[in-house]
Amino acid sequence: MNIFTVIQFGGPLIGGVVALGATVGLSVVRRSDHKREIKELRNQGIVWGVVVAPLGTVIIQFILNSIVAGGASCTF
């Protein structure tokens, strides 16, 4: 159960921190190639932190509850 809590709440937290840090870092960086990399990092932080991590938790819960034999004993 602890790993699901880490995925569900830690993913958005880490993704949000990465995205916020990249947004703040854009004002400091002057080179265009570095700016492009930081923008890509920001977008990946948002996608992985806000979309993928919570969705991954739901998918893992579904697999454990519905597909795995004896999944009825796995409750969250």
Side-chain angles (χ1 to χ4, degrees):
M1 183 169 164
N2 290 337
I3 190 71
F4 299 108
T5 305
V6 169
I7 292 171
Q8 189 174 12
F9 298 115
L13 180 65
I14 293 171
V17 169
V18 168
L20 182 63
T23 303
V24 172
L26 278 173
S27 63
V28 177
V29 175
R30 298 199 185 274
R31 293 179 50 186
S32 63
D33 57 337
H34 289 290
K35 281 191 179 194
R36 185 174 41 240
E37 290 176 7
I38 290 177
K39 285 180 183 178
E40 184 177 337
L41 178 70
R42 178 187 62 194
N43 293 339
Q44 287 179 359
I46 291 171
V47 168
W48 283 95
V50 175
V51 177
V52 176
L55 188 61
T57 304
V58 172
I59 291 170
I60 291 172
Q61 286 177 349
F62 172 76
I63 289 171
L64 288 177
N65 288 333
S66 301
I67 298 173
V68 176
S73 63
C74 298
T75 58
F76 298 106

